[in-house]
Amino acid sequence: MVRHGRPPERTEVREVLACAVCTAPAVRFDLPLNDDVLAWARSHDASALHAHISGGMDAYCPACDRVYCRDHYQTDERYDEGFYDCTYGTCPQGHRRMIDD
């Protein structure tokens, strides 16, 4: 059966942000499509995307305003009495922040 009419509208944008050091894919995500998100994704505005995404982007360093892949953004998981506590991330410039709690 052939359907006529307009194709369904896209409701999400798929985006990949590259590592600032090696250009390997650092962040892959699907975002609900709206004018702001589409503009940020197309311009690779990591700061705006980080602020918009609930919990932020783990691979993003706010101090550098750059995104890093897993080879360049080192993670350090912390445990307390044998149970997971949190994870810290450290960028190549030495900026450290908690990325998961």
Side-chain angles (χ1 to χ4, degrees), residues 60-71:
Y60 176 69
C61 176
C64 292
D65 191 27
R66 294 186 177 155
V67 175
Y68 298 102
C69 70
R70 69 176 65 190
D71 291 335

Side-chain angles (χ1 to χ4, degrees), residues 28-49:
R28 291 184 174 110
F29 51 84
D30 291 343
L31 294 172
L33 183 63
N34 69 42
D35 290 341
D36 289 337
V37 171
L38 184 57
W40 298 329
R42 286 183 174 161
S43 67
H44 295 264
D45 186 344
S47 177
L49 289 166

